Amino acid sequence: MSARTLFDKIWDAHVVSAETAATPATLYVDLHLVHEVTSPQAFDALRGRGLRVRQPARTLATLDHSTPTLPAASDGTRRYATAAARAQVEQLEANAQDFGIELHGWDSDARGIVHVIGPELGATQPGMTIVCGDSHTSTHGAFGALAFGIGTTEVAHVLATQCLLQRRPRTLAVHVEGELAPGVAAKDLILHIIGVLGVDGGTGHVIEYRGSTIRALSMEQRMTVCNMSIEAGARAGLIAPDAVTFDWLAGRPQAPQGAAWEAALARWRTLASDPGARYDRELHIDAGAVRPSVTWGTHPGTAIALDAAVPAPRDALDQRALDYMQARAGQPLRGSKVDVVFVGSCTNGRLSDLREVAGLLRGRHIAHGVRMLVVPGSESVRRAAEAEGLDRVFTAAGAQWRLPGCSMCIAMNGDMAAPGELVVTTSNRNFEGRQGQGVRSVLASPATAAASALAGAIADPRDWLAASTEQAA
Amino acid sequence: MNAVTRIHSRSVALADDNIDTDRIIPARFLTTTTRAGLGRHCFNDWRYLADGSDNPDFALNQPQARGCSILVAGRNFGCGSSREHAPWALLDYGIAAVISSEIADIFRNNALGNGLLAIEVAAAEQRWLLAHGGIELTIDVAGQYIALPDGGRITFALEPFARHCLLNGVDAFGYLLQQEAAIAAWEARQAVAA
C-alpha cells in the first residue's frame, strides 16, 4: 500500500460505503458530542420520523453555551439570561432522558464545555472520528482523532444512523520547526499560523500540524492549536498521537483499561503519517519567529505581533474593520486601553491556562476600571483550580471567578461586554458583535490577557513575566 | 424538502469578504428550539440601527432589494460558527440562493441540506456580479449555470449528490437510513476486530 497520511488512515478506517461520483462516502462516527444549542431541532427530526438514537453509548451530551456562569440563587434557581435559554437547557435535559443519552448536566461533576470534557473523560481517543454541532470540534484533533463540526441536520443524521455523508477533504501539512521563545504561547503560535494562512487558507482541507515544535507541546497546548483550525477555514486539525497523548489519556474514566489499554496503545502507535506520504499542500512555519500575538481586525486572520504596527488598509473592508476596532494603521495595539478581560473558552479554559494567568496575577491587582472574568472550562478544571487556590488569586486580584461554560466566547448566556468596549479575550473569534453588539474583541493568549488586565491596556506578557521572576527572586 | 430547480430574481450584493455566521445570525438569537422565525433577525446587527429602525445603509434595506432572493456575496461567505441557524435565517428572510467565489465548508453543507442554493463561481465572475447587483438572474440547477440578462451564462460546480437532492426535493436523511444494512455490517466487523 502506498504511503498514507494520518488523515488517510483514520478516514479509510471509517468508510462504511465508498465515495462515488454520484454519492459522498458514508463515514462512521465513533463519538458524537451534543450540546443544548444545536441539538433541539435534531431530536425533533428524529421524533418526526419515529427514530431512536442508534448508539446512545457513542453519544455524550453536556450543557455549556446557554448556561449562566453565576452561581444559583440561594433557593437553587439558576440565573438564566432569558426564559428561552432556560427552555433550551430543559429541552436537552428532556431529550437526553427520552432518547437514553448520558447528559453531563447541572448535577454532574464532569459538566463543562463540550470540547474540554470529551478529552477529560477520556472519551476522546486517537484514531476516532468525532463530530459535534459545533465548529470547535476540531479541538479533539489534538489526540489524533478526525474531529469536525457539523450542522443540526447532520446532528440528526448521526443520532439516527451514527453516520455522515462526506466528500474526502484535501490535506494540508503545517510543519512547525524550532523553539517557541519564552513568553510565547501555543495561542500565539496558532494566531501566527492563521495570520500566515489567512482566514480562509484552510478551507476544504484537513490540517495536520507536524514538526519538532508541535511534538514539544503539551496536550493542552496541542488542543489550543487544533481548536483554532476552523479559524483558518479548515474543518479539522490533526496531531499524530505520541507518548504525550498516551500519558495524558492513561487512567481517564472512559479510556481503555488493562489489556484493552495495551491493545489500544499498539493500535494508536500506528497513527502517524507514513514517511513519504503526500499532502495536497504544505506550509512551513518558523517557531522562533513567533511573538506574542493579537488581532487588530474583525476576524482571526488579522493576527499580528502585539508590538507590530497595525497594517495599512488594503481595501474598504480593512478600513471598515479598523473603524469598528477604533484601531489606527501604523500604530501597534500594545498600549490600547482595555475595558474587559475574558479568560476561558474551549481554546484557553483549561487548568494550565488558568495557572498561567494566576502566575501573573498573584500578589497583584488588575488595573482600575478593568472588568475581568475567569471562567473554567469544566467542573473538573474548576475543582482543580480551587484545590490549588487559583480562585483566590483571581478574586484577590479583582477578577471574577465563575462557573464553567462558554460564557463570553459566544456571549449567549448573558456574559457580554457593552457596545464600544474593548475586550482582550483568550477565546477564538473576534467577529463584529461576537461578544456583544458593538464590542471590540482582541484575541490573545492567557498570559497576554493577564498582563493586559494588570496594565489596563494591551500589554506584552514578557514584561510582566520578567517582573514576576524578579519578585520571586 | 421542496425541489429547487430554477431560481429567478434580481440580485442583491453584499460585497464584504468573510461574512461570518455570527453576522448572519448573532448568537443571542440561538436560544430557540425550533427552526422557524429566524428571518426577522437575519443580519440583525447590520440591518437594524440601535433604536430598532432599519439601517438605511444596509444593502438589503434598499427599496430595490425588497423581494430579491439571490444574494451575491464576498469571498468566504458563512465562515465561523457551524450554526445551521444561519441558512435557516436566510431562507426565512427570503433568500433562496447565495453566490460567492468561496463559501465556507460547514455553511455550504448546512445550506444545501436545507435547500438554500449555495454556489461558487470564479472570482472574476463574482466580482462582475457584485459590481452589477440588482440585475435579473436565473439560476438553473440542472444546467449548473446562471443566466444573465444579455443571454450570457456563468457556470458553477455543484456536488452531484447535493444537486440530485435539490432537483428531486429529497434529503440525505432518507439515503442514509437506506444504508442500515451496510452500517450494521460495518459495526459487526468492528465488534469482531475489537
Side-chain angles (χ1 to χ4, degrees):
Chain A
M1 193 180 286
S2 60
R4 293 189 299 165
T5 64
L6 170 57
F7 163 78
D8 293 330
K9 291 179 184 182
I10 302 173
W11 176 276
D12 293 349
H14 289 86
V15 173
V16 172
S17 309
E19 184 172 351
T20 69
T23 52
T26 301
L27 201 67
Y28 197 80
V29 173
D30 292 319
L31 175 64
H32 185 193
L33 303 166
V34 172
H35 65 74
E36 73 274 23
V37 179
T38 57
S39 65
Q41 300 87 349
F43 285 109
D44 281 350
L46 263 60
R47 281 196 186 87
R49 290 175 183 250
L51 297 166
R52 303 297 301 165
V53 172
R54 183 184 178 86
Q55 292 282 4
R58 292 187 178 279
T59 312
L60 183 66
T62 193
L63 307 171
D64 53 8
H65 283 65
S66 298
T67 49
T69 58
L70 287 167
S74 53
D75 66 353
T77 310
R78 296 278 165 197
R79 292 186 268 186
Y80 287 94
T82 60
R86 175 189 301 277
Q88 189 173 61
V89 165
E90 289 172 355
Q91 182 84 54
L92 182 52
E93 290 169 343
N95 283 333
Q97 181 113 48
D98 290 356
F99 287 91
I101 292 169
E102 186 178 14
L103 170 67
H104 288 288
W106 286 115
D107 55 356
S108 166
D109 61 7
R111 191 187 68 81
I113 304 175
V114 66
H115 310 307
V116 175
I117 72 166
E120 278 176 354
L121 290 168
T124 299
Q125 294 169 19
M128 280 184 163
T129 46
I130 301 176
V131 301
C132 176
D134 193 292
S135 63
H136 292 111
T137 308
S138 59
T139 312
H140 307 265
F143 292 81
L146 176 61
F148 52 91
I150 57 176
T152 298
T153 295
E154 291 180 318
V155 169
H157 294 171
V158 179
L159 287 173
T161 70
Q162 206 59 32
C163 288
L164 267 182
L165 295 175
Q166 289 287 305
R167 291 282 179 189
R168 191 185 193 102
R170 295 186 293 276
T171 52
L172 165 60
V174 175
H175 304 272
V176 192
E177 294 291 345
E179 274 187 48
L180 292 171
V184 176
K187 180 64 163 289
D188 299 311
L189 172 61
I190 188 61
L191 284 172
H192 177 83
I193 291 171
I194 297 164
V196 172
L197 260 180
V199 68
D200 59 349
T203 301
H205 293 77
V206 167
I207 297 176
E208 183 184 337
Y209 301 96
R210 302 171 55 80
S212 61
T213 316
I214 301 298
R215 296 262 72 83
L217 296 178
S218 71
M219 218 44 245
E220 301 201 342
Q221 292 172 316
R222 292 178 187 186
M223 285 190 255
T224 299
V225 169
C226 288
N227 171 273
M228 290 190 71
S229 303
I230 183 66
E231 309 314 332
R235 287 181 76 176
L238 283 169
I239 295 173
D242 59 14
V244 173
T245 321
F246 309 145
D247 288 350
W248 202 91
L249 279 173
R252 303 252 165 203
Q254 295 189 30
Q257 314 286 336
W261 171 256
E262 294 305 323
L265 277 183
R267 206 167 58 243
W268 294 346
R269 289 196 174 109
T270 67
L271 293 169
S273 292
D274 297 327
R278 300 285 290 272
Y279 300 89
D280 294 295
R281 281 171 62 203
E282 303 197 37
L283 176 72
H284 293 268
I285 298 285
D286 171 13
V290 180
R291 288 181 281 166
S293 296
V294 288
T295 50
W296 64 264
T298 52
H299 64 70
T302 61
I304 54 171
L306 65 75
D307 50 6
V310 172
R314 293 159 306 174
D315 52 27
L317 195 63
D318 280 353
Q319 188 60 55
R320 177 190 164 109
L322 281 175
D323 292 346
Y324 181 88
M325 292 302 294
Q326 300 171 30
R328 300 240 306 273
Q331 307 256 332
L333 284 172
R334 183 182 181 155
S336 304
K337 184 181 172 295
V338 170
D339 301 298
V340 179
V341 171
F342 171 65
V343 173
S345 86
C346 56
T347 314
N348 282 124
R350 288 171 287 266
L351 186 61
S352 58
D353 301 310
L354 302 187
R355 283 178 179 156
E356 186 132 14
V357 171
L360 283 160
L361 295 192
R362 188 169 283 118
R364 297 192 174 113
H365 202 280
I366 63 173
H368 180 71
V370 171
R371 185 161 70 97
M372 182 175 188
L373 264 67
V374 184
V375 183
S378 69
E379 286 292 344
S380 164
V381 169
R382 178 166 80 114
R383 278 193 307 278
E386 290 179 355
E388 291 182 16
L390 303 187
D391 57 321
R392 293 189 296 281
V393 174
F394 300 136
T395 51
Q400 301 177 39
W401 174 241
R402 295 291 189 94
L403 300 180
C406 302
S407 182
M408 246 181 88
C409 174
I410 187 164
M412 62 179 291
N413 74 331
D415 297 345
M416 57 172 68
E421 284 190 326
L422 188 125
V423 184
V424 175
T425 177
T426 68
S427 57
N428 41 56
R429 288 189 173 133
N430 54 334
F431 298 148
E432 275 187 34
R434 172 81 178 183
Q435 298 186 297
Q437 235 178 315
V439 172
R440 302 177 291 144
S441 303
V442 173
L443 304 181
S445 73
T448 299
S452 301
L454 291 169
I458 294 176
D460 192 325
R462 293 170 298 189
D463 298 343
W464 292 84
L465 286 165
S468 291
T469 313
E470 282 161 26
Q471 205 175 36
Chain B
M1 203 165 79
N2 294 324
V4 179
T5 55
R6 233 171 103 86
I7 298 167
H8 177 83
S9 164
R10 272 179 295 109
S11 71
V12 56
L14 278 179
D16 285 15
D17 292 339
N18 310 318
I19 294 174
D20 57 76
T21 53
D22 274 84
R23 280 182 97 186
I24 299 170
I25 182 81
R28 62 186 185 279
F29 303 114
L30 304 188
T31 50
T32 178
T33 55
T34 72
R35 297 170 184 236
L38 287 164
R40 71 195 166 99
H41 298 304
C42 188
F43 294 116
N44 194 88
D45 296 347
W46 206 352
R47 181 173 152 199
Y48 304 116
L49 298 175
D51 65 1
S53 63
D54 283 358
N55 172 6
D57 296 332
F58 182 55
L60 272 68
N61 288 339
Q62 306 306 310
Q64 63 272 24
R66 299 281 169 190
C68 289
S69 61
I70 298 177
L71 177 66
V72 183
R75 192 173 54 112
N76 197 26
F77 185 83
C79 63
S81 158
S82 61
R83 61 190 68 168
E84 197 163 311
H85 309 70
W88 295 338
L90 287 162
L91 283 165
D92 190 47
Y93 177 86
I95 300 296
V98 179
I99 304 171
S100 177
S101 58
E102 181 181 58
I103 293 175
D105 290 333
I106 304 177
F107 176 85
R108 185 180 53 241
N109 270 353
N110 289 343
L112 293 172
N114 283 275
L116 173 64
L117 187 60
I119 51 177
E120 293 177 340
V121 298
E125 290 163 337
Q126 175 233 25
R127 280 195 296 274
W128 189 90
L129 288 169
L130 283 174
H132 294 82
I135 61 170
E136 299 266 348
L137 299 176
T138 302
I139 306 177
D140 186 299
V141 177
Q144 293 182 216
Y145 64 83
I146 303 164
L148 306 177
D150 66 0
R153 286 182 176 186
I154 294 171
T155 57
F156 58 86
L158 189 59
E159 196 279 308
F161 186 73
R163 177 177 175 276
H164 164 83
C165 290
L166 289 166
L167 289 173
N168 295 285
V170 295
D171 62 32
F173 209 161
Y175 173 78
L176 263 174
L177 289 168
Q178 286 166 16
Q179 296 196 56
E180 169 57 33
I183 298 167
W186 192 93
E187 286 175 332
R189 282 200 302 277
Q190 298 303 307
V192 171

